[in-house]
Amino acid sequence: MHSFNSNSLPMKNIIKIVLLLCIASMAFAVYGQNSCTTDEGVVINGIRWATRNVDKPGTFTEKPEDAGMFYQWNRKVGWNSTDPLVNSDGGTTWNTNEAAGESWRKENDPCPCGWRVPTKGEQQSLVDAGGYWGELNDISGYFFGNGKNSLFLPASGSRGYSNGALDVVGTVGYYWSSNAYYASHAYSLNVYRIVVTVNSNRGKSFGVSIRCIAE
């Protein structure tokens, strides 16, 4: 029985083996980067909603009651929902400029693959389904739908447009839509204790939550 000796292989075969290993390694890396985050979602009024907020770009939070990260409209940089102020790239300087555009650009969408930021019409469909204010594991927020087809959106608060300061945490939940209202404002789903609305009073440079829908 002969032991393996790389010196017995022709040089061209060694080169082929090395190339195949490199290709396999690259394919694995690409697959890992593009693999989708698992979330079966909940269907309400024909739309499949993710059960958790967006955390870092391309990921969901671990639990439905987790706030995740805050995002400025049409940007893919997440900001933490607790102090001190820091973003998903490690930066600490708040951007006070409003992003241009009438709709959220796909390349700036922080939702995991297979998901996207909802339109204001899709958010209104969720509001039309009805619900109630309550708590999930001691976190205040709003429940939409009923039974197995129910969804919890935490009242995560926001970060202010001028300096990124935390505001109304545990009192209000703001969730971006993909539609702008005009140059400086965009539509958002707003959940309060006594009222739930989709309106245009949110400046684009505010940092708020994102709850995705299936593509």
Side-chain angles (χ1 to χ4, degrees), residues 77-80 84-95 159 163-164:
V77 176
W79 293 87
N80 63 327
L85 178 69
V86 64
N87 67 31
S88 53
D89 294 331
T92 58
T93 302
W94 187 253
N95 190 344
R159 285 197 176 277
N163 57 11

Side-chain angles (χ1 to χ4, degrees), residues 52-196:
R52 295 162 286 158
N53 285 353
V54 176
D55 197 26
K56 291 182 179 180
T59 68
F60 289 125
T61 61
E62 181 180 349
K63 296 177 290 187
E65 66 270 26
D66 291 342
M69 300 196 83
F70 293 135
Y71 289 82
Q72 296 176 303
W73 192 83
N74 199 21
R75 292 200 172 109
K76 201 173 183 177
V77 176
W79 293 87
N80 63 327
S81 52
T82 58
D83 285 329
L85 178 69
V86 64
N87 67 31
S88 53
D89 294 331
T92 58
T93 302
W94 187 253
N95 190 344
T96 59
N97 298 319
E98 294 94 4
E102 296 182 358
S103 61
W104 203 299
R105 298 175 64 177
K106 186 173 180 60
E107 61 266 30
N108 294 335
D109 194 325
C111 291
C113 65
W115 302 85
R116 62 172 174 80
V117 178
T119 66
K120 65 182 179 71
E122 289 161 341
Q123 288 184 331
Q124 186 60 52
S125 175
L126 184 62
V127 173
D128 293 343
Y132 59 94
W133 183 266
E135 289 188 351
L136 181 62
N137 295 326
D138 298 323
I139 300 299
S140 297
Y142 207 86
F143 291 89
F144 292 93
N146 56 74
K148 292 183 178 180
N149 288 339
S150 64
L151 197 68
F152 179 75
L153 271 64
S156 305
S158 67
R159 285 197 176 277
Y161 69 95
S162 62
N163 57 11
L166 288 173
D167 189 32
V168 295
V169 176
T171 304
V172 186
Y174 301 106
Y175 291 82
W176 280 130
S177 83
S178 61
N179 301 114
Y181 177 59
Y182 52 82
S184 62
H185 285 63
Y187 288 95
S188 65
L189 166 63
N190 308 327
V191 297
Y192 306 79
R193 182 178 294 274
I194 60 175
V195 64
V196 179

